[in-house]
């Protein structure tokens, strides 16, 4: 068999499909042989570079020929490999992107090497040689370039100044000259064709603007002239030459806002509408890029989330479409099945796009109208005929359209009967309680007054026009939604407080306007709990959590969330303030999700406390690691340091807004250890308690450390053991019953548990312990009298139960080691009954009392209503049992 026969057989699928390849191989038969010989080898970037190095060109014509011959070879092999089923979409887009990048870099080097008379461009401020930064935009920036695509470029240089050669030019003149010649080397048609068509219309001011601009000019343009579509375009901007890091520091604040930017929905929707109108005007519905369900809609889906959240989530600032979609799935912003559908559709559409371009090496995304080319497309896509292909294409486009419409569709009115009348009259200076009364508001006169006060107040009157328009759109819906809850007056009043708080922050208003389905969830939470409404009003960034009920009500996976938090922190580099804000945003988000699930009845009180405690543990772990990493002059890579939790944190009974009772320990012989760990402890407190723009994390109480407020902030394990053994008061041993290792050096965990068990299992004089416990309870009563409606301090209440358990541990743990387990008061009461220390029926009643009292305490925190004596009367028998148990163990309660 001849070599021509082998070549033809090997390349048959490609030749059957591509007229371009037929013409190319007719002109260059040696290229056909080369392509066949290397068919099973991708055309790598390294091979491209080697070809350019091995074919040096001294003149412009030779250099142009070298670049164009390289493109021909790369395209021939890529077409053949892909149509033979040897290459996938990744290889296709990366091969073409590599070709474009190398062509630009070598062209720039060629031009600057031959442009010698002006000399070097020197920055007027730095005095340093300046380099042209060629920015790849669009698919080139995302390394997902089409096989026959234009390349969108922008030329930027850092500083103005002048060249230092024989012919003095301004840096602007010099780089404009360089840029024009670079374009000619790549874009000029020769007998070998072109390398790429170059499109410079994305530069500032488009075709009418200068070809190149300095950093200062670019920054001024973006601040004063930059439009929303340019934010979208710069998402994919990537420097291919020069100081790309410095450029992106300038670009990033323009593209990615620090806040959640829900105004992007409207901007992207308007841009998409313009594209759709253009497609329809030109009768290009068959355009698989710009038409319905096309490639551009998939890109828009990814990019709107990037614009909204990229300032907060660095992982979303990537440029590649498929990587962005995958990250949206990892972040939980798109459902896994949605991501899978979009990924599959994107690959299908891009493969079709390439096969359209392979026919004649033409930049087209329009389906062919003739039967011959339709057959080529169907066959190369693996379908029996055009009908089968178009059915599959329609399926993918329909799935994309469905997802696009769900995300970008115009917002529908919220359910609940929006009421324009009351708000319209309030804005007109009238008070119209009749409309509110008809809706079911109980004190319609007072609510009409509040609406009128809101309308005439400075905050509403001084809102920017766009914000006021948003409020005017949202508020009638909120009036209608709030009316559907049992306490409409309270609900609407709290919602008005929220609107006042966010009235000048269009992004939050845009979120509510773009997603009116969130208004029902919002009103439900504001109706259910004044604590939640105050929390959300204080942290409106959490409004974002209302968008996805699936995420809002999803049980937390603390291991996964910990990985996400650590990655977000790592992405912030050395920005301490941003890290502190990141911790706060994370903690507030998780608290909000927990309370939403709590109010929905999805969590028991014990589970709520477990989650809040796990969250606090995680925040401490990450905080300690970050603070130590930033500590100057630290003497070791990892601190031999630990945080010990006491009280509610120690007992894993944290509630909303609970303080953290902490003791810090270290076990490190290094001479610098005491000083470094003291500094570490101080900075931990600062990180946790400082009020930043994102709020606070926790209040910290360190008074349980050895020697209290007069003691050192951090103790060695040895000193802590000695103090507990020789100097601690009985009340400090009581506190130790609810202490646990939270995080830090593992060997300290072992040492602490040994110290704790040793102290708690020490044999004591029971009469002395009883006297000390009773005295401590009496001192508490002096400052917190036992009121009948106080679930914590009433006789038989939470404190009495805690003291009973602590007494049982200190008095009897030397005989019954199970009492030292940090398992909570309910479990320990059960152990004490099992061990014969207390009556089983009384223990059961005390367990019921503790469980119900904590539930009432928790409910009071959420609904803002203090339990009444009548409420406590429902568990009177259980409270009486606790008082009986107290008397049996500790004697008659002392009179107050």
């Amino acid at each position: 068999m001849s070599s021509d026969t082998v070549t033809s057989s090997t390349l048959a699928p490609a030749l059957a499909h591509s007229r371009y390849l037929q013409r190319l191989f007719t002109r260059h038969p040696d290229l056909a042989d080369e392509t066949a010989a290397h068919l099973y080898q991708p055309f790598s970037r390294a091979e491209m570079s080697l070809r350019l190095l091995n074919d040096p060109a001294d003149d412009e014509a030779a250099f142009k020929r070298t670049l164009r011959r390289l493109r021909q070879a790369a395209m021939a092999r890529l077409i053949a490999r892909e149509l033979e089923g040897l290459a996938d979409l990744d290889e296709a887009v990366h091969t073409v992107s590599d070709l474009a990048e190398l062509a630009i870099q070598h062209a720039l080097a060629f031009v600057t090497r031959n442009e010698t008379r002006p000399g070097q461009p020197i920055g007027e401020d730095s005095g340093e040689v300046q380099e042209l930064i060629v920015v790849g935009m669009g698919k080139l920036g995302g390394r997902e370039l089409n096989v026959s695509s234009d390349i969108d470029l922008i030329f930027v240089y850092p500083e103005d100044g002048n060249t230092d050669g024989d012919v003095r030019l301004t840096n602007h003149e010099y780089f404009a000259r360089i840029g024009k010649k670079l374009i000619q080397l790549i874009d000029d048609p020769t007998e070998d064709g072109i390398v790429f068509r170059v499109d410079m219309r994305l530069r500032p001011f488009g075709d009418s603007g200068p070809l190149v601009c300095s950093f200062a000019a670019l920054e001024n343009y973006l601040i004063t002239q930059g439009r929303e579509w340019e934010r979208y375009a710069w998402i994919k901007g990537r420097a291919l030459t020069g100081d790309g890091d410095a450029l992106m520091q300038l670009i990033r604040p323009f593209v990615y806002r620090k806040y959640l930017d829900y105004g992007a929905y409207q901007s992207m929707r308007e841009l998409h509408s313009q594209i759709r109108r253009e497609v329809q005007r030109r009768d290009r519905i068959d355009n698989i890029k710009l038409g319905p369900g096309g490639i551009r809609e998939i890109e828009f889906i990814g990019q709107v989330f990037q614009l909204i959240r990229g300032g907060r989530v660095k992982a979303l600032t990537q440029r590649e479409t498929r990587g962005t979609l995958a990250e949206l799935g990892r972040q939980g912003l798109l459902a896994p099945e949605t991501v899978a559908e979009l990924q599959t559709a994107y690959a299908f559409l891009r493969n079709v796009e390439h096969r359209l371009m392979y026919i004649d090496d033409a930049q087209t995304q329009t389906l062919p109208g003739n039967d011959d080319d339709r057959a080529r497309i169907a066959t190369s896509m693996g379908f029996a005929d055009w009908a089968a292909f178009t059915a599959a294409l329609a399926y993918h486009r329909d799935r994309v359209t469905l997802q696009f419409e769900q995300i970008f569709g115009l917002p529908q009115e919220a359910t609940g009967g929006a009421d324009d009348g009351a708000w319209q009259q309030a804005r007109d200076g009238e008070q119209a309680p009749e409309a509110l009364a008809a809706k079911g508001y109980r004190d319609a006169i007072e609510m009409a007054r509040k609406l009128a006060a809101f309308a005439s107040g400075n905050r509403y009157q001084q809102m920017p026009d766009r914000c006021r328009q948003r409020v005017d759109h949202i508020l009638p819906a909120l009036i209608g939604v709030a009316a559907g809850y049992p306490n409409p007056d309270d609900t609407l009043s709290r919602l008005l407080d929220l609107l006042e708080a966010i009235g000048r922050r269009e992004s939050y208003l845009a979120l509510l306007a773009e997603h009116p389905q969130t208004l029902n969830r919002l009103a439900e939470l504001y109706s259910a709990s004044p604590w939640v409404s105050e929390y959300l009003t204080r942290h409106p960034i959490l409004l974002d959590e209302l968008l996805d009920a699936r995420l809002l009500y999803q049980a937390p996976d603390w291991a996964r969330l910990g990985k996400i938090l650590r990655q977000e922190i790592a992405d912030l580099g050395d920005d301490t303030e941003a890290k502190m804000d990141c911790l706060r945003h994370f903690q507030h988000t998780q608290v909000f999700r927990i309370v939403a699930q709590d109010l929905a009845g999805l969590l028991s009180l014990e589970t709520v406390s477990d989650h809040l405690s796990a969250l606090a543990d995680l925040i401490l772990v990450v905080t300690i690691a970050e603070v130590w990493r930033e500590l100057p002059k630290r003497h070791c890579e990892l601190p031999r340091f630990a945080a010990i939790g006491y009280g509610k944190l120690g007992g894993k009974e944290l509630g909303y807004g609970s303080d953290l009772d902490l003791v810090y320990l270290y076990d490190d012989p290094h001479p610098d250890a005491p000083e470094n760990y003291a500094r570490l402890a101080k900075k931990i407190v600062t990180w946790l308690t400082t009020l930043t723009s994102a709020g606070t994390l926790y209040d910290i109480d360190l008074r349980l450390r050895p020697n209290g407020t007069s003691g050192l902030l951090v103790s060695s394990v040895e000193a802590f053991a000695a103090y507990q053994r020789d100097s601690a008061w009985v009340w400090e041993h009581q506190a130790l019953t609810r202490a646990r290792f939270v995080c830090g050096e593992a060997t300290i965990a072992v040492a602490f548990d040994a110290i704790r068990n040793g102290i708690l299992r020490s044999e004591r004089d029971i009469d002395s312990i009883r006297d000390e416990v009773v005295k401590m309870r009496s001192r508490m009563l002096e400052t917190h009298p036992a009121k009948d409606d106080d679930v914590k301090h009433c006789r038989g209440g939470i404190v009495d139960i805690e003291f009973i358990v602590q007494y049982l541990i200190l008095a009897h743990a030397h005989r019954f080691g199970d009492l030292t387990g940090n398992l909570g008061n309910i479990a320990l009461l059960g152990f004490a009954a099992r061990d014969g220390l207390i009556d089983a029926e009384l223990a059961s009643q005390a367990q019921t009392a503790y469980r119900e009292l904590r539930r009432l305490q928790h409910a009071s925190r959420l609904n803002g209503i203090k339990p009444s004596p009548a409420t406590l009367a429902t568990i009177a028998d259980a409270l009486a049992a606790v008082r009986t148990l107290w008397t049996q163990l500790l004697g008659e309660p002392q009179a107050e």
Side-chain angles (χ1 to χ4, degrees):
M1 186 180 293
S2 69
S3 62
D4 287 346
T5 303
V6 173
T7 297
S8 297
S9 174
T10 303
L11 302 178
L15 290 168
H17 180 87
S18 175
R19 289 189 289 265
Y20 162 73
L21 214 53
Q22 295 169 15
R23 296 191 296 269
L24 183 63
F25 287 165
T26 299
R27 291 186 60 200
H28 303 288
D30 56 330
L31 181 57
D33 293 336
E34 176 195 320
T35 302
H38 295 88
L39 184 62
Y40 295 94
Q41 175 185 334
F43 211 121
S44 69
R45 189 184 186 107
E47 184 178 351
M48 295 179 199
S49 297
L50 187 61
R51 287 202 180 206
L52 291 170
L53 290 173
N54 290 338
D55 191 10
D58 295 328
D59 61 80
E60 184 175 312
F63 184 77
K64 286 181 176 180
R65 184 168 55 253
T66 296
L67 288 183
R68 283 151 183 78
R69 293 287 175 86
L70 174 61
R71 180 188 186 273
Q72 290 171 355
M75 283 291 294
R77 193 187 306 176
L78 177 60
I79 293 172
R81 282 179 55 77
E82 193 164 4
L83 294 176
E84 186 66 29
L86 300 174
D88 59 9
L89 179 60
D90 277 333
E91 181 180 326
V93 298
H94 291 161
T95 297
V96 183
S97 299
D98 285 338
L99 175 64
E101 291 173 29
L102 286 171
I104 290 165
Q105 291 162 0
H106 281 263
L108 180 60
F110 180 86
V111 172
T112 53
R113 183 169 64 246
N114 289 280
E115 188 72 41
T116 57
R117 291 184 62 206
Q120 302 266 44
I122 305 299
E124 61 185 0
D125 294 327
S126 66
E128 296 177 354
V129 175
Q130 303 294 291
E131 290 183 89
L132 181 66
I133 301 173
V134 180
V135 183
M137 304 290 284
K139 287 185 169 61
L140 174 57
R143 285 189 52 76
E144 49 193 13
L145 200 58
N146 293 329
V147 293
S148 300
S149 178
D150 294 355
I151 54 174
D152 296 298
L153 302 179
I154 294 177
F155 297 149
V156 188
Y157 60 93
E159 295 180 45
D160 285 315
N162 297 284
T163 61
D164 60 0
D166 297 335
V167 178
R168 285 180 64 82
L169 300 172
T170 66
N171 287 354
H172 187 275
E173 292 170 331
Y174 173 81
F175 285 121
R177 179 184 296 186
I178 293 293
K180 288 177 183 177
K181 290 188 175 182
L182 186 152
I183 293 171
Q184 291 170 2
L185 289 176
I186 294 173
D187 187 87
D188 276 0
T190 72
E191 63 178 7
D192 293 305
I194 63 172
V195 188
F196 290 96
R197 291 173 294 274
V198 177
D199 190 335
M200 300 294 299
R201 289 175 296 176
L202 291 179
R203 70 185 188 268
F205 300 107
D207 284 339
S208 63
L211 186 66
V212 299
C213 64
S214 66
F215 278 7
L218 177 60
E219 183 174 30
N220 181 66
Y221 171 82
L222 295 178
I223 291 172
T224 61
Q225 305 284 331
R227 288 158 288 181
E228 284 297 311
W229 71 261
E230 289 176 290
R231 288 181 62 203
Y232 150 77
W234 271 102
I235 286 176
K236 290 186 179 294
R238 179 168 61 93
L240 308 178
T241 65
D243 190 354
D245 290 341
L247 174 65
M248 296 320 295
Q249 286 179 10
L250 182 154
I251 294 297
R252 182 179 170 83
F254 170 69
V255 179
Y256 298 112
R257 308 296 195 239
K258 287 186 177 180
Y259 51 83
L260 294 171
D261 184 13
Y262 282 94
Y265 273 110
Q266 183 62 26
S267 301
M268 297 287 275
R269 189 184 293 119
E270 290 171 355
L271 178 58
H272 178 261
S273 296
Q274 292 173 10
I275 294 171
R276 278 277 179 93
R277 287 194 296 272
E278 182 71 7
V279 168
Q280 291 167 351
R281 187 177 69 82
R282 298 182 181 180
D283 193 25
R284 289 165 60 189
I285 300 300
D286 280 343
N287 188 302
I288 63 166
K289 177 182 178 181
L290 303 178
I295 295 167
R296 181 59 57 84
E297 290 189 353
I298 300 175
E299 293 172 340
F300 272 24
I301 289 171
Q303 287 162 341
V304 74
F305 284 103
Q306 289 180 287
L307 289 178
I308 290 169
R309 298 169 181 275
R312 287 268 316 277
V313 183
K314 190 172 182 180
L316 287 175
T317 62
Q318 56 187 290
R319 300 175 177 91
E320 198 255 340
T321 299
R322 287 176 293 170
T324 298
L325 292 174
E327 186 60 36
L328 291 173
R330 283 190 288 272
Q331 296 282 336
L333 298 170
L334 288 178
E337 56 273 18
T338 300
V339 173
E341 284 185 347
L342 293 174
Q343 296 279 33
T344 302
Y346 183 80
F348 185 91
L349 291 167
R350 290 298 307 272
N351 284 330
V352 174
E353 178 184 47
H354 284 175
R355 281 151 180 77
L356 290 171
M357 295 176 173
Y358 287 155
I359 293 176
D360 286 309
D361 190 25
Q363 187 190 21
T364 180
Q365 287 96 6
T366 301
L367 297 173
N370 64 81
D371 291 341
D372 184 43
D373 285 351
R374 286 180 171 182
R376 294 171 191 264
I377 296 297
T379 300
S380 65
M381 287 297 294
F383 292 92
D385 52 37
W386 182 250
F389 164 72
T390 54
L393 175 63
Y395 171 80
H396 289 301
R397 293 181 72 169
D398 286 346
R399 302 312 299 171
V400 173
T401 296
L402 175 64
Q403 298 301 336
F404 185 88
E405 295 295 345
Q406 286 182 350
I407 293 170
F408 285 100
L410 288 172
Q412 303 297 312
E413 289 300 326
T415 58
D419 186 273
D420 288 302
W423 175 236
Q424 179 65 52
Q425 289 168 319
R427 283 188 300 156
D428 292 342
E430 302 174 17
Q431 294 188 25
E434 296 82 7
L436 293 171
K439 281 282 183 185
Y441 285 88
R442 295 172 183 174
D443 190 345
I445 294 175
E446 174 60 14
M447 292 312 302
R449 186 197 64 77
K450 286 187 177 182
L451 285 172
F454 182 90
S456 61
N458 288 336
R459 291 197 179 184
Y460 175 76
Q461 293 295 329
Q462 294 174 6
M463 285 179 190
D465 288 343
R466 285 171 61 101
C467 292
R468 194 181 305 110
Q469 290 167 8
R470 297 278 197 189
V471 170
D472 291 344
H473 176 74
I474 295 165
L475 195 43
L478 284 177
I479 292 171
V481 169
Y485 290 92
N487 54 341
D489 302 57
D490 290 338
T491 303
L492 182 58
S493 295
R494 295 165 188 167
L495 289 168
L496 288 174
D497 291 340
L498 172 66
L499 289 181
E500 281 208 344
I502 65 174
R504 298 185 66 83
R505 304 167 80 172
E506 187 190 355
S507 181
Y508 296 136
L509 296 172
L511 183 155
L512 297 176
E514 291 286 343
H515 301 278
Q517 74 274 14
T518 61
L519 300 184
N520 278 316
R521 292 187 196 128
L522 181 65
E524 182 179 7
L525 292 169
Y526 272 57
S527 170
S529 168
W531 185 88
V532 172
S533 64
E534 290 168 9
Y535 192 78
L536 191 50
T537 299
R538 195 163 62 249
H539 306 296
I541 197 169
L542 297 173
L543 288 169
D544 175 63
E545 292 297 310
L546 299 173
L547 294 181
D548 191 340
R550 179 178 53 86
L551 278 180
L552 185 61
Y553 298 114
Q554 185 180 72
D557 178 346
W558 294 112
R560 183 182 68 83
L561 291 169
K563 290 179 182 177
I564 292 173
L565 175 60
R566 290 181 179 90
Q567 185 59 57
E568 289 180 354
I569 291 285
D571 288 343
L572 295 172
D574 297 327
D575 191 337
T576 298
E577 183 178 352
K579 290 179 183 179
M580 292 172 68
D581 282 348
C582 179
L583 283 170
R584 283 154 176 74
H585 290 314
F586 177 86
Q587 193 256 10
H588 297 157
T589 296
Q590 301 312 316
V591 168
F592 184 65
R593 290 180 180 178
I594 292 167
V595 76
Q597 294 173 38
D598 185 5
L599 290 173
L602 301 177
L603 303 176
S604 67
L605 174 56
E606 290 79 6
T607 304
V608 169
S609 293
D610 286 344
H611 284 326
L612 292 173
S613 300
L615 173 59
D617 289 0
L618 176 57
I619 294 294
L620 284 167
V621 169
V622 175
T623 298
I624 290 171
E626 290 304 315
V627 171
W628 182 254
R629 190 174 293 119
E630 293 190 0
L631 202 68
K633 300 179 181 178
R634 63 182 187 274
H635 61 279
C636 56
E637 187 61 28
L638 297 175
R640 299 176 63 178
F641 175 93
I644 307 300
Y646 276 71
K648 286 186 169 60
L649 176 62
K652 294 187 178 181
E653 292 185 350
L654 282 184
Y656 303 117
S658 292
D659 296 351
L660 302 186
D661 293 303
L662 292 171
V663 168
Y664 299 128
L665 302 179
Y666 72 92
D667 185 14
D668 190 336
H670 194 282
D672 294 338
E675 180 181 353
N676 279 342
Y677 292 131
R679 289 161 56 216
L680 173 63
K682 287 180 181 178
K683 290 186 74 68
I684 292 169
V685 173
T686 299
W687 271 54
L688 295 176
T689 62
T690 298
L691 177 64
T692 74
S693 60
T696 61
L697 280 169
Y698 296 100
D699 288 330
I700 303 300
D701 192 336
L702 300 173
R703 289 174 296 178
L704 288 172
R705 67 186 187 268
N707 294 307
T709 54
S710 62
L712 298 173
L713 272 181
V714 61
S715 300
S716 69
V717 169
E718 184 179 359
F720 178 79
Y723 178 83
Q724 292 292 338
R725 184 178 60 248
D726 302 329
S727 305
W729 297 82
V730 169
W731 66 264
E732 291 178 286
H733 288 171
Q734 287 181 247
L736 195 61
T737 64
R738 284 170 39 102
R740 67 180 174 92
F741 170 86
V742 171
C743 62
E745 168 63 40
T747 58
I748 299 179
V750 176
F752 171 76
D753 285 343
I755 295 166
R756 179 179 178 276
N757 286 337
I759 294 297
L760 297 184
R761 294 185 184 185
S762 297
E763 187 170 358
R764 296 173 173 84
D765 180 77
I766 291 182
D767 291 337
S768 297
I769 290 298
R770 181 186 298 114
D771 290 344
E772 289 296 329
V773 170
V774 169
K775 286 179 184 177
M776 175 56 63
R777 183 70 181 99
S778 298
R779 283 196 289 271
M780 288 187 68
L781 288 170
E782 293 174 3
T783 54
H784 296 91
K787 297 179 180 178
D788 289 342
D789 60 352
D790 187 336
V791 298
K792 183 174 182 179
H793 296 101
C794 71
R795 297 318 308 244
I798 289 174
V799 172
D800 279 355
I801 296 170
E802 290 173 345
F803 271 50
I804 286 170
V805 172
Q806 291 162 10
Y807 164 76
L808 289 168
I809 294 170
L810 295 181
H812 299 290
H814 68 284
R815 292 190 297 129
F816 302 101
D818 55 359
L819 292 176
T820 62
N822 195 337
L823 302 172
N825 291 310
I826 291 174
L828 292 174
L829 285 166
F831 289 169
R834 186 188 64 194
D835 294 336
L837 299 176
I838 56 177
D839 177 77
E841 178 58 28
L842 290 178
S844 177
Q845 290 275 48
Q847 288 172 322
T848 298
Y850 191 74
R851 188 179 291 110
E852 287 301 305
L853 290 167
R854 283 201 63 217
R855 185 186 63 78
L856 290 170
Q857 185 183 50
H858 182 72
S860 174
R861 175 77 176 179
L862 287 178
N863 62 33
I865 301 173
K866 196 172 184 180
S868 66
T871 303
L872 288 176
T874 62
I875 55 170
D877 290 345
L879 296 178
V882 173
R883 292 193 292 271
T884 299
L885 191 56
W886 179 281
T887 301
Q888 289 180 358
L889 295 172
L890 296 162
E892 292 292 336
Q894 294 185 1
E896 296 175 37

